[in-house]
Amino acid sequence: MGKGSIVIVSTGMLIGGDITVRCQETIKQADVVFSLMSSAVGDSWLDELNPNHKSLQYLYGKTKHRMDTYEEMVEVMMQEVRKGKKVCGAFYGHAGVFAWAPHEAIRVAKKEGFEAKMLPGVSADMALFADLGIDPATKGVQAFEATQFLFYKHQINPVSHVILWQIGLIGEHSAKSFDIPEKGPQILVDYLSQWYPLDHSIALYECAVLPIFETRIEKIKLGDLVNVDLNLITTMVIEPLGELEPNEKILGKFGITEKMVGSRD
């Protein structure tokens, strides 16, 4: 096995506030740190933790396919691993959530015989559960990337909370633009109307990444989605509609009734 190694760490949502002890120590002890942070403040913070820090942000281009950028990120990190260095890749939020490059870097490193692993962190959904007061155990949670949800035949269970990620890019298919297609929100509303009335309550959520920022929790009606501002980090949460329906057949196999589920008696 080669001497080089790579550890992908998650820095959490709040810069400098959510990172775990393990992730922070990994950054400090690395020979070189590569990062993709949500702001220049995050880059400065990493500079203080490890002076051998380099941002990967420069690899993006206005008309460049994002997959080309991600592949280059992997190669840049792997070049240092192959030199025998202890490499750390630091990605904001959870490094394994909505992030292809970190997973690919680990796959490539392991295939080439190097040590590689990922450390978890505070992700956007964990922050969302805390800020919106959602317990996934109550009625369940479904989550989809918004554009994928429209482009493929996913099915919704309206009784649960439904989370749609990246609605600020709804319908963007080129992977070259960060501009929202004009028809995206209306097409989404029309599609969701097969499960929900237009006056059904939804929440628009944006997690604060700095203490000076405010968390966005904007409650609106589904039909009003076409009239609000959407950003790249906007997440849409659809509130549950209706009540859980008991599965009498399965309950019967256990020899119990719905009233007995969760009973203290």
Side-chain angles (χ1 to χ4, degrees), residues 66-82:
R66 286 195 285 278
M67 188 54 68
D68 292 336
T69 298
Y70 301 152
E71 290 176 347
E72 289 174 2
M73 289 180 179
V74 173
E75 181 58 24
V76 167
M77 291 188 287
M78 284 304 303
Q79 286 176 0
E80 297 302 309
V81 175
R82 296 178 188 122

Side-chain angles (χ1 to χ4, degrees), residues 189 192-202 221-223 241:
V189 169
L192 288 171
S193 66
Q194 65 182 296
W195 293 287
Y196 304 97
L198 294 180
D199 62 354
H200 186 69
S201 179
I202 65 173
K221 296 178 181 178
L222 174 61
L241 176 66

Side-chain angles (χ1 to χ4, degrees), residues 91-153:
F91 292 77
Y92 70 89
H94 191 301
V97 178
F98 283 85
W100 182 86
H103 284 295
E104 181 65 8
I106 291 175
R107 286 190 287 264
V108 172
K110 287 183 175 180
K111 185 177 181 179
E112 295 184 13
F114 297 103
E115 292 186 0
K117 64 180 179 180
M118 179 183 292
L119 301 182
V122 177
S123 56
D125 54 344
M126 297 299 102
L128 184 152
F129 292 153
D131 289 334
L132 270 65
I134 295 174
D135 183 351
T138 303
K139 287 188 173 182
V141 172
Q142 290 181 286
F144 307 94
E145 197 279 331
T147 298
Q148 185 196 81
F149 171 72
L150 283 183
F151 287 0
Y152 296 90
K153 295 182 178 180

Side-chain angles (χ1 to χ4, degrees), residues 14 63 190 202:
L14 185 67
T63 59
D190 293 342
I202 65 173

Side-chain angles (χ1 to χ4, degrees), residues 3-219:
K3 180 181 178 182
S5 64
I6 183 169
V7 180
I8 302 294
V9 305
S10 308
T11 63
M13 299 305 296
L14 185 67
I15 295 174
D18 286 342
I19 191 169
T20 66
V21 173
R22 278 203 303 166
C23 288
Q24 184 161 301
E25 287 304 307
T26 299
I27 292 171
K28 290 180 179 179
Q29 295 171 15
D31 294 326
V32 59
V33 178
F34 294 100
S35 75
L36 192 62
M37 301 297 290
S38 59
S39 72
V41 175
D43 290 331
S44 298
W45 168 63
L46 288 176
D47 287 339
E48 295 180 3
L49 293 179
N50 191 320
N52 295 317
H53 161 244
K54 303 174 184 179
S55 173
L56 296 170
Q57 195 71 38
Y58 75 95
L59 293 171
Y60 283 103
K62 287 186 177 180
T63 59
K64 187 177 180 181
H65 197 287
R66 286 195 285 278
M67 188 54 68
D68 292 336
T69 298
Y70 301 152
E71 290 176 347
E72 289 174 2
M73 289 180 179
V74 173
E75 181 58 24
V76 167
M77 291 188 287
M78 284 304 303
Q79 286 176 0
E80 297 302 309
V81 175
R82 296 178 188 122
K83 292 177 183 178
K85 294 183 180 181
K86 291 193 301 181
V87 176
C88 173
F91 292 77
Y92 70 89
H94 191 301
V97 178
F98 283 85
W100 182 86
H103 284 295
E104 181 65 8
I106 291 175
R107 286 190 287 264
V108 172
K110 287 183 175 180
K111 185 177 181 179
E112 295 184 13
F114 297 103
E115 292 186 0
K117 64 180 179 180
M118 179 183 292
L119 301 182
V122 177
S123 56
D125 54 344
M126 297 299 102
L128 184 152
F129 292 153
D131 289 334
L132 270 65
I134 295 174
D135 183 351
T138 303
K139 287 188 173 182
V141 172
Q142 290 181 286
F144 307 94
E145 197 279 331
T147 298
Q148 185 196 81
F149 171 72
L150 283 183
F151 287 0
Y152 296 90
K153 295 182 178 180
H154 289 294
Q155 291 296 315
I156 277 183
N157 175 12
V159 174
S160 70
H161 280 91
V162 176
I163 301 173
L164 295 180
W165 302 104
Q166 297 183 329
I167 60 168
L169 287 174
I170 186 77
E172 206 297 298
H173 66 284
S174 70
K176 295 180 180 180
S177 172
F178 287 101
D179 297 325
I180 182 171
E182 185 177 348
K183 297 180 180 179
Q186 185 63 63
I187 292 175
L188 177 61
V189 169
D190 293 342
Y191 190 65
L192 288 171
S193 66
Q194 65 182 296
W195 293 287
Y196 304 97
L198 294 180
D199 62 354
H200 186 69
S201 179
I202 65 173
L204 301 179
Y205 174 76
E206 296 174 10
C207 179
V209 296
L210 287 172
I212 60 173
F213 293 168
E214 290 187 5
T215 297
R216 179 185 183 184
I217 302 176
E218 183 178 353
K219 298 290 186 73

